[in-house]
Amino acid sequence: MATEEMIEETDGGENEFIDPNDILAEVQDDRDIPMEDEDDGEEQKDELGDLPSHEPSENLVSGFRGHGKSVFAISCHPTQPLAASGGEDDLGYIWDITDGETIVKLTGHTDSVTSVAFSSDGEMIATGGMDGKVRVWRRHGKEDYKNWEFLTELQGPDEVMWLRWHPKGSVLLAGSNDSTVWLWQLPSGSTMQVLSGHTGAVQCGEFTPDGKRIITACADGLLIFWDPRSTTPIFKLGPSNTRFDLGGITSVAVNPSSTLAVVGGESGGIRVVSLSKGDVVSALAGHTEGESVEAMCFVELSGGAGASTVVSGGTDGKAHIWDLNTMRKRATLEHEDAVTTVLPHAMPRSHLVTTASADRTLRTWDARTGKLLTEHRGHQAPVLGASLGIEGSVIVSAGDDGNCYVFTIETDDHQ
């Protein structure tokens, strides 16, 4: 896919890298499909008395069963008691965390919805699918967070691998299985950039927390660091660099100061990369060789460790807590099957990390000690994703059993 010619670059200043004028071309969409409101009495609810008999946790308080097939993606609204999920049924839903009520059905995809994401301000939500479509909705009106309208459909990717919103602005990033990376300005739907440089499916990517850069990685083992205003990478690392070689890259996380990236691969290896120098700082060995590192996150511990702690989760059923000050392992967290998600908690519970696993459970740990605090049970199949909701007071999960569940966090035990 050819990259469109960039217009003359403008100076975005030091605070923001994005200027509304930094767009390439308008995405034309004459096929807007109106969002379908759930006003026909077919509201989906999951009452406590209707939970599975697989010994659900006492802290399982609500759920959603609207999909009926595997749920691949889950995202919680940043401020409201809402969650969005996407599944194998080619649909997304926005639903109420407190009672499982369907707020709205997100339609228009023709294949599985594998990504859902609320914007940083909670005013928009995007869904991405195996059909290559990215569809965006926005909140309608100023008062009611339960009223949403269809905004636009974005096209470009062959198959959407993941979606990320800019941490401060209305800009959406997507990785495609055709080796391209797409950047759009919302609400206009304008294409800001198409980044070509990968040679395989772009399996993971992130905005840096300061919002100024983008990091992406692909199945062919290439890691690329971008200035989003340019089609030329700041640097690349790949298999030709023997210190970096990880096989296909499956996970990446960036520290809060946007100076380090931690990268996991299908070989089971982990590399710590300096974003200022573009080189490998350290290699971390702990996961079983040949078992993919599927998830990665930074945890901001209290007590002086700051953001130097990272958690990696692998298909070997282990999650390791690493201290990047010493480049040593602090603790190992155990599951009975592959770890699919590692979820960092925010203040005042920033010392917590929750892991989700194919063993059908989620587990919340104290990242300072590696102690298991709570096991969250209810799913009858692998847990494929998790998100924090209601100011971090609940964990919302997505399962291969077609269910989403809401678990409370017992704060008294976790201080």
Side-chain angles (χ1 to χ4, degrees):
M1 186 178 297
T3 303
E4 300 174 65
E5 184 177 352
M6 277 290 290
I7 64 171
E8 182 177 352
E9 186 176 308
T10 61
D11 181 7
E14 293 184 358
N15 294 325
E16 298 290 339
F17 71 72
I18 286 165
D19 188 292
N21 296 316
D22 286 350
I23 60 175
L24 295 173
E26 294 293 326
V27 176
Q28 300 298 324
D29 183 77
D30 298 322
R31 300 174 297 102
D32 288 1
I33 303 174
M35 183 174 59
E36 297 179 10
D37 286 315
E38 291 290 278
D39 56 2
D40 56 2
E42 295 182 2
E43 294 177 348
Q44 299 291 340
K45 290 191 178 183
D46 189 354
E47 303 296 338
L48 284 176
D50 196 29
L51 292 172
S53 59
H54 174 60
E55 298 182 359
S57 305
E58 291 182 1
N59 64 335
L60 199 169
V61 294
S62 180
F64 178 76
R65 290 180 173 176
H67 289 280
K69 295 184 178 181
S70 297
V71 186
F72 298 126
I74 190 78
S75 176
C76 289
H77 192 281
T79 60
Q80 302 298 311
L82 301 177
S85 51
E88 189 182 5
D89 57 354
D90 308 345
L91 294 170
Y93 287 93
I94 300 175
W95 48 278
D96 192 318
I97 291 174
T98 61
D99 59 10
E101 177 185 355
T102 297
I103 302 303
V104 72
K105 184 190 293 185
L106 308 176
T107 61
H109 286 281
T110 57
D111 207 338
S112 296
V113 176
T114 54
S115 303
V116 294
F118 281 102
S119 59
S120 58
D121 62 2
E123 293 295 304
M124 287 182 281
I125 186 167
T127 59
M130 293 179 68
D131 56 5
K133 296 177 182 179
V134 176
R135 292 175 61 79
V136 182
W137 287 258
R138 65 180 170 187
R139 186 168 69 96
H140 181 64
K142 299 297 183 182
E143 301 296 330
D144 189 2
Y145 272 89
K146 294 188 176 183
N147 192 359
W148 296 77
E149 63 181 2
F150 178 74
L151 177 61
T152 188
E153 180 175 297
L154 309 172
Q155 293 184 318
D158 178 59
E159 177 183 324
V160 179
M161 304 294 288
W162 48 268
L163 295 173
R164 294 291 186 274
W165 286 94
H166 188 269
K168 299 176 183 176
S170 299
V171 173
L172 186 62
L173 179 69
S176 173
N177 75 331
D178 65 3
S179 79
T180 58
V181 179
W182 292 76
L183 197 68
W184 298 281
Q185 173 79 51
L186 277 304
S188 68
S190 303
T191 301
M192 299 183 69
Q193 190 62 277
V194 184
L195 303 173
S196 300
H198 287 288
T199 56
V202 185
Q203 299 189 135
C204 50
E206 300 285 348
F207 284 104
T208 55
D210 63 11
K212 297 180 180 179
R213 299 288 185 263
I214 292 167
I215 191 165
T216 57
C218 74
D220 286 352
L222 282 176
L223 180 78
I224 305 182
F225 193 49
W226 309 88
D227 180 332
R229 295 171 294 185
S230 172
T231 57
T232 303
I234 298 172
F235 69 78
K236 287 186 181 183
L237 287 172
S240 60
N241 182 323
T242 55
R243 289 194 67 209
F244 180 76
D245 189 10
L246 290 165
I249 298 174
T250 46
S251 57
V252 64
V254 180
N255 68 344
S257 59
S258 304
T259 58
L260 288 176
V262 182
V263 187
E266 63 183 15
S267 66
I270 299 171
R271 301 291 183 268
V272 183
V273 176
S274 167
L275 297 182
S276 59
K277 298 180 180 179
D279 60 11
V280 177
V281 175
S282 182
L284 305 177
H287 289 283
T288 304
E289 186 175 355
E291 295 283 354
S292 176
V293 181
E294 289 293 309
M296 195 85 67
C297 74
F298 276 85
V299 178
E300 295 191 57
L301 297 183
S302 57
S308 62
T309 304
V310 70
V311 183
S312 61
T315 58
D316 57 0
K318 294 180 173 61
H320 296 301
I321 302 175
W322 305 92
D323 184 343
L324 298 190
N325 289 322
T326 62
M327 297 299 172
R328 294 184 178 180
K329 185 167 55 180
R330 292 172 60 102
T332 297
L333 318 176
E334 299 274 357
H335 276 275
E336 283 68 57
D337 206 335
V339 176
T340 57
T341 303
V342 291
L343 184 64
H345 293 241
M347 290 295 291
R349 306 179 186 93
S350 58
H351 59 289
L352 302 183
V353 63
T354 293
T355 52
S357 173
D359 69 6
R360 305 186 294 172
T361 71
L362 301 96
R363 294 173 182 173
T364 297
W365 316 77
D366 188 328
R368 298 168 297 190
T369 62
K371 179 184 177 182
L372 176 62
L373 299 174
T374 310
E375 183 174 80
H376 314 283
R377 299 183 309 276
H379 284 284
Q380 301 181 79
V383 184
L384 303 180
S387 181
L388 291 174
I390 314 179
E391 298 181 340
S393 63
V394 298
I395 300 164
V396 184
S397 60
D400 206 23
D401 55 5
N403 299 325
C404 300
Y405 289 128
V406 181
F407 301 93
T408 58
I409 301 170
E410 287 77 12
T411 56
D412 290 343
D413 297 334
H414 294 169
Q415 297 299 320

